[in-house]
């Protein structure tokens, strides 16, 4: 049996549209805090059809589905295997950068009967239909070429603002989707054997829609409230507030004090000053991270403690008693 016949026989079994990798960006942290280097990465795997045996690093991981299945793994090189309907294994080594996400898509399609001539030949590109802005897309080509010539791979990507990371001149192209939210990236591949025969230059393309990254809205949260408390009770609550601020150096604190309907003159100022004095002097919190607010009046003395993340709007006082309704004690 000739080598050409052997190749044609093997190619009749399977035409696999390989995989596509995507990353997403972790939300940014405050510049004043030293970033912690991530130890893990995520791989998302999808196949068509589903129900195929999946193995990662030689360990069974159940069956694939037509939707993504996500796995958190140590950063580094991992081996992914999918058992195809014809009994053969699709195997790839996947490098997972720490703190990023890669998506793998495996499409199984039987090959159409090949003509006697190696040209024209089928070309197929695998890529995710949709990714989130900031993720890296991998376009992977399968070319069922039975000739003896070495193929040339020519990629074209639109829009022009899409950044090609690597893969020009190879069957696998990596494209960064950062800054392209709401748009679509089209990758077109032309594979040719270098001859002048137009049938020996075949093209295929894949389109990926880039979903805009969801914006994280930061809001202030009320940490505690002390109504008509003794100073000892208030100090215990201020201790907890100080611990919270020390655990997250990117946050600030707001203390809003309210006088009561029957409070003595100067009660609000007293509540404000002793709270500031205690948390700065006794607990060592930088005064620049603390804002003390006169909130007006409520039915009883009250002190609210708020945690304010960096970039979040400051809390507003919510008095319930008007100044003209106050009956002050001297």
């Amino acid at each position: 049996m000739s080598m050409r016949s052997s190749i044609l026989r093997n190619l009749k079994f399977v035409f696999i549209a390989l995989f596509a990798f995507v990353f997403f960006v972790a939300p940014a942290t405050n510049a004043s805090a030293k970033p912690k280097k991530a130890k893990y990465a995520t791989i998302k795997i999808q196949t068509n059809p589903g129900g195929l045996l999946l193995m990662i690093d030689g360990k069974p991981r159940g069956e694939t589905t037509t939707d993504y299945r996500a796995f958190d793994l140590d950063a580094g090189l991992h081996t992914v295997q999918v058992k195809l309907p014809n009994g053969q294994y699709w195997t790839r080594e996947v490098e997972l950068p720490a703190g990023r996400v890669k998506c793998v898509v495996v499409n199984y399609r039987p090959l159409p009967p090949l003509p006697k001539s190696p040209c024209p030949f089928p070309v197929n590109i695998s890529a995710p239909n949709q990714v989130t802005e900031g993720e890296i897309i991998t376009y992977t080509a399968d070319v069922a070429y039975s000739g003896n010539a070495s193929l040339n791979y020519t990629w074209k990507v639109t829009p022009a603002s899409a950044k090609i990371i690597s893969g020009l001149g190879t069957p696998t192209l990596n494209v960064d989707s950062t800054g392209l939210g709401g748009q679509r990236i089209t990758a077109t591949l032309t594979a040719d054997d270098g001859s002048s025969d137009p049938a020996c230059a075949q093209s295929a393309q894949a389109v990926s829609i880039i979903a805009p990254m969801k914006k994280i809205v930061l809001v202030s949260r009320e940490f505690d409230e002390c109504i008509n408390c003794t100073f000892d009770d208030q100090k215990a609550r201020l201790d907890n507030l100080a611990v919270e601020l020390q655990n997250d150096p990117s946050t600030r604190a707001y203390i809003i004090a309210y006088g009561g309907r029957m409070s003595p003159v100067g009660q609000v100022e007293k509540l404000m000053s002793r709270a500031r004095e205690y948390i700065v002097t006794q607990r060592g919190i930088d005064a620049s991270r603390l804002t003390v607010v006169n909130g007006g009046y409520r039915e009883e003395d009250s002190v609210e403690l708020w945690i304010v993340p960096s970039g979040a709007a400051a809390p507003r006082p919510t008095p319930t008693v008007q100044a003209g309704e106050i009956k002050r004690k001297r």
Side-chain angles (χ1 to χ4, degrees):
M1 181 183 296
S2 66
M3 180 178 297
R4 172 183 174 82
S5 298
S6 176
I7 294 175
L8 288 175
R9 186 191 63 184
N10 292 333
L11 287 176
K12 289 181 180 178
F13 283 105
V14 61
F15 183 42
I16 309 169
L18 302 181
F19 55 95
F21 302 119
V22 267
F23 293 86
F24 56 91
V25 180
T29 57
N30 186 42
S32 64
K34 294 183 179 179
K36 296 182 179 179
K37 188 174 182 180
K39 297 181 180 179
Y40 303 98
T42 300
I43 184 170
K44 299 193 293 186
I45 301 174
Q46 168 191 341
T47 67
N48 186 16
L52 305 181
L53 175 65
L54 172 65
M55 299 181 67
I56 300 178
D57 297 328
K59 297 180 179 179
R61 292 300 185 103
E63 294 184 345
T64 64
T65 65
T66 54
D67 293 325
Y68 282 117
R69 289 188 62 197
F71 302 89
D72 294 331
L73 304 173
D74 292 334
L77 191 65
H78 295 272
T79 301
V80 178
Q81 291 180 295
V82 177
K83 188 175 183 180
L84 302 174
N86 65 352
Q88 298 180 0
Y89 279 88
W90 178 92
T91 304
R92 290 293 184 278
E93 289 189 340
V94 181
E95 180 70 26
L96 297 181
R100 301 301 296 272
V101 175
K102 279 194 175 181
C103 289
V104 175
V105 177
V106 179
N107 294 328
Y108 173 85
R109 298 174 186 170
L111 278 173
L114 291 176
K116 294 181 180 181
S117 169
C119 303
F121 48 86
V123 177
N124 183 69
I125 299 177
S126 289
N129 294 327
Q130 180 171 309
V131 300
T132 302
E133 179 184 355
E135 296 179 341
I136 295 176
I137 309 172
T138 299
Y139 298 90
T140 306
D142 273 324
V143 181
Y145 175 70
S146 60
N148 296 321
S150 296
L151 292 180
N152 303 311
Y153 297 94
T154 304
W155 289 95
K156 180 181 179 181
V157 175
T158 58
S161 54
K163 182 181 178 182
I164 297 176
I165 298 176
S166 63
L168 289 175
T170 73
T172 302
L173 188 73
N174 293 304
V175 180
D176 193 345
S177 66
T178 301
L180 297 175
Q183 302 183 52
R184 59 179 61 199
I185 295 177
T186 302
T188 303
L189 171 67
T190 299
D192 68 87
D193 64 359
S195 69
S196 58
D197 185 354
C200 290
Q202 298 297 309
S203 297
Q205 69 176 202
V207 178
S208 297
I209 298 173
I210 314 303
M213 184 183 302
K214 293 182 180 180
K215 295 183 178 179
I216 299 176
V217 179
L218 300 175
V219 295
S220 302
R221 63 182 175 91
E222 186 174 3
F223 180 74
D224 201 351
E225 182 178 7
C226 189
I227 300 175
N228 205 17
C229 295
T230 65
F231 188 35
D232 286 339
D233 189 4
Q234 187 180 359
K235 286 191 291 185
R237 298 167 189 259
L238 291 170
D239 288 338
N240 294 333
L241 177 65
V243 172
E244 188 79 6
L245 293 172
Q246 291 164 348
N247 289 338
D248 188 353
S250 68
T251 58
R252 302 181 70 249
Y254 269 66
I255 298 177
I256 304 177
Y258 302 88
R261 186 188 291 270
M262 304 293 291
S263 295
V265 175
Q267 179 71 354
V268 176
E269 290 75 13
K270 177 182 178 181
L271 294 173
M272 294 168 58
S273 62
R274 75 183 186 183
R276 180 197 296 273
E277 176 70 16
Y278 181 80
I279 200 168
V280 172
T281 303
Q282 300 299 321
R283 296 304 311 227
I285 299 300
D286 192 329
S288 64
R289 297 180 63 194
L290 182 67
T291 300
V292 182
V293 179
N294 185 333
Y297 299 95
R298 289 184 174 175
E299 291 296 331
E300 297 182 272
D301 294 347
S302 179
V303 177
E304 292 179 345
L305 307 179
W306 289 79
I307 295 293
V308 183
S310 178
R316 295 182 178 181
T318 54
T320 59
V321 177
Q322 300 300 318
E325 302 174 7
I326 301 304
K327 297 178 181 180
R328 296 186 174 182
K329 295 180 181 179
R330 294 187 179 277

